[in-house]
């Protein structure tokens, strides 16, 4: 595959492991795009997902998301796609973002054959595109990419190979990369600790243009279709604004959407389903005394509650 070039635009990908991020500093550092972890499997949602999306958008970055894929059958793959799509709806859907959604397929938990891996990958990708209206990207590792057949070459490739000297290998499905994750130990102002660094095969303007048709920016005003309409605020013959005052500017709309996303995130945090990482702890706590349960989560519970139960479980407090 091709090498990196000096004119290529730079980006990162993040998840809860990066903690609280100062997105204004990230943007000021010269980072133009980011892929943010949204989901994993059929139930998990990254706890920082909505906060990270809102912050990155408010900072003016090009934003995409990714789903860590665990499917082992076509049915489970479709269920994961639905979970991912439903989670994207919390931030306005895939079309509200500048970059397409991503299938992160980098291991084989079910020990599937190559043919089976391609079947479940196609099931996920097809279902996700139907649900979101956006063609996804495939993320994978340099070695793992050899499992995918040529039919998946129609999807853009985001490949991981951590090297300053070796380019990603040619693969059955791809001979070029669209994004290259070239290190997992990058340093960016605004993020404490290491972060994955990525490069797009072109400039920032080319990146925006490449996906503009697939993910139109909902904050951009549409072209007027009826210049003679007196209620059309873009009609120069009608200088008076529509009733209700001036419409929000792009910046005001972005700030409003960011605030709304924060409110929705806080509400969801208080009544969330059991996260994958807390399931063993919750099961142990509920089984401790079935006649007099320690708590009830019929309507969900907060993230902090699940974290507390997990800490107690690790300390062995639910063992009889």
């Amino acid at each position: 595959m091709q090498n990196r070039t000096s004119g290529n635009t730079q980006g990162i990908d993040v998840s809860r492991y990066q903690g609280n991020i100062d997105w204004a500093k990230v943007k000021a550092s010269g980072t133009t795009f980011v892929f943010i972890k949204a989901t994993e499997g059929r139930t998990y949602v990254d706890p920082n997902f909505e906060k990270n999306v809102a912050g990155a958008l408010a900072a003016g970055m090009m934003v995409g998301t990714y789903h860590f894929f665990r499917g082992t059958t076509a049915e489970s793959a479709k269920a994961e796609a639905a979970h991912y799509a439903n989670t994207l709806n919390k931030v306005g859907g895939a079309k509200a973002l500048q970059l397409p959604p991503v299938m992160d397929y980098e291991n084989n938990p079910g020990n599937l054959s190559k043919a089976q891996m391609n079947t479940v990958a196609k099931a996920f990708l097809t279902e996700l595109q139907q649900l979101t209206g956006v063609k996804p990207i495939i993320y994978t590792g340099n070695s793992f990419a050899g499992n995918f057949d040529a039919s998946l070459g129609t999807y853009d490739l985001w490949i991981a190979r951590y090297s300053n000297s070796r380019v990603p290998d040619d693969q059955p499905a791809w001979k070029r990369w669209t994004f290259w994750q070239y290190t997992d130990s990058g340093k960016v102002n605004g993020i404490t600790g290491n972060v994955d660094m990525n490069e797009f095969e072109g400039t920032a303007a080319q990146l925006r243009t490449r996906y503009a048709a697939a993910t139109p920016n909902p904050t951009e005003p549409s072209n007027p279709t009826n210049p003679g309409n007196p209620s059309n605020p873009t009609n120069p013959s009608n200088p008076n604004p529509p009733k209700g005052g001036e419409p929000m500017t792009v910046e005001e709309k972005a700030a409003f959407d960011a605030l709304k996303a924060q409110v929705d995130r806080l509400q969801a945090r208080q009544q969330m389903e059991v996260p994958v990482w807390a399931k063993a702890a919750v099961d142990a706590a509920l089984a401790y005394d079935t006649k007099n349960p320690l708590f009830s989560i019929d309507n969900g519970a907060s993230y902090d509650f699940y974290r507390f139960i997990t800490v107690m479980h690790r300390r062995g407090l639910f063992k009889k």
Side-chain angles (χ1 to χ4, degrees):
M1 296 187 185
Q2 81 273 26
N3 211 329
R4 297 164 55 200
T5 66
S6 59
N8 288 348
T9 194
Q10 300 296 306
I12 58 175
D13 60 273
V14 302
S15 68
R16 67 181 180 88
Y17 293 109
Q18 275 65 53
N20 293 321
I21 298 173
D22 187 328
W23 287 104
K25 290 183 178 179
V26 172
K27 181 65 165 60
S29 73
T31 306
T32 62
F33 69 90
V34 58
F35 286 104
I36 295 169
K37 184 172 183 178
T39 47
E40 180 175 333
R42 285 182 279 184
T43 59
Y44 178 79
V45 178
D46 188 289
N48 288 359
F49 166 60
E50 291 182 62
K51 177 176 70 174
N52 280 335
V53 169
L57 287 175
M61 298 187 67
M62 286 181 273
V63 178
T65 65
Y66 70 93
H67 169 88
F68 191 91
F69 183 70
R70 292 188 175 277
T72 56
T73 66
E75 291 72 22
S76 64
K78 291 180 180 179
E80 290 196 21
H83 171 51
Y84 185 19
N86 288 337
T87 302
L88 288 177
N89 288 336
K90 295 179 180 179
V91 295
K95 289 187 177 181
L97 306 176
Q98 295 79 20
L99 303 178
V102 177
M103 177 184 72
D104 176 350
Y105 196 175
E106 57 182 277
N107 59 22
N108 185 11
N111 294 318
L112 304 181
S113 67
K114 287 187 178 181
Q116 291 171 322
M117 291 173 65
N118 282 271
T119 295
V120 297
K122 292 171 188 175
F124 176 90
L125 293 163
T126 301
E127 185 74 4
L128 182 62
Q129 186 169 351
Q130 290 177 344
L131 293 171
T132 64
V134 181
K135 187 174 184 178
I137 294 171
I138 296 175
Y139 168 91
T140 193
N142 182 68
S143 298
F144 202 79
N147 292 303
F148 301 123
D149 63 37
S151 66
L152 291 177
T154 61
Y155 295 91
D156 285 350
L157 172 66
W158 174 16
I159 194 164
R161 184 164 204 176
Y162 304 151
S163 175
N164 290 323
S165 58
R166 294 179 298 167
V167 301
D169 297 326
D170 285 355
Q171 304 294 343
W174 300 279
K175 298 298 182 283
R176 292 185 63 86
W177 49 267
T178 303
F179 297 92
W180 178 358
Q181 185 186 83
Y182 55 87
T183 182
D184 62 350
S185 55
K187 300 292 184 182
V188 173
N189 193 24
I191 296 178
T192 302
N194 294 337
V195 64
D196 296 337
M197 302 296 296
N198 301 277
E199 186 164 305
F200 170 70
E201 62 164 348
T203 64
Q206 289 171 326
L207 174 58
R208 191 177 297 277
T209 300
R210 184 183 187 98
Y211 299 113
T215 57
N217 189 338
T219 64
E220 292 294 331
S222 59
N223 292 327
T225 57
N226 183 10
N229 185 347
S231 65
N232 188 337
T234 62
N235 183 359
S237 65
N238 177 34
N240 296 321
K243 292 181 179 180
E246 294 287 353
M248 284 191 291
T249 65
V250 173
E251 292 78 11
E252 289 169 341
K253 180 66 163 57
F256 174 82
D257 290 342
L259 180 60
K260 182 178 183 300
Q262 283 185 307
V263 172
D264 291 343
R265 178 180 61 83
L266 289 172
Q267 291 177 336
R269 188 183 176 99
Q270 299 307 310
Q271 287 188 315
M272 62 187 294
E273 296 181 0
V274 182
V276 173
W277 51 265
K279 188 175 187 308
V282 170
D283 289 345
L286 291 175
Y288 182 77
D289 188 346
T290 55
K291 293 184 178 180
N292 298 289
L294 298 176
F295 54 83
S296 172
I297 53 171
D298 292 341
N299 296 317
S302 71
Y303 172 84
D304 293 328
F305 174 79
Y306 290 127
R307 186 171 60 179
F308 171 75
I309 293 298
T310 300
V311 171
M312 296 299 100
H313 176 57
R314 289 172 180 169
R315 293 175 177 265
L317 296 184
F318 303 131
K319 293 180 180 180
K320 293 185 177 180

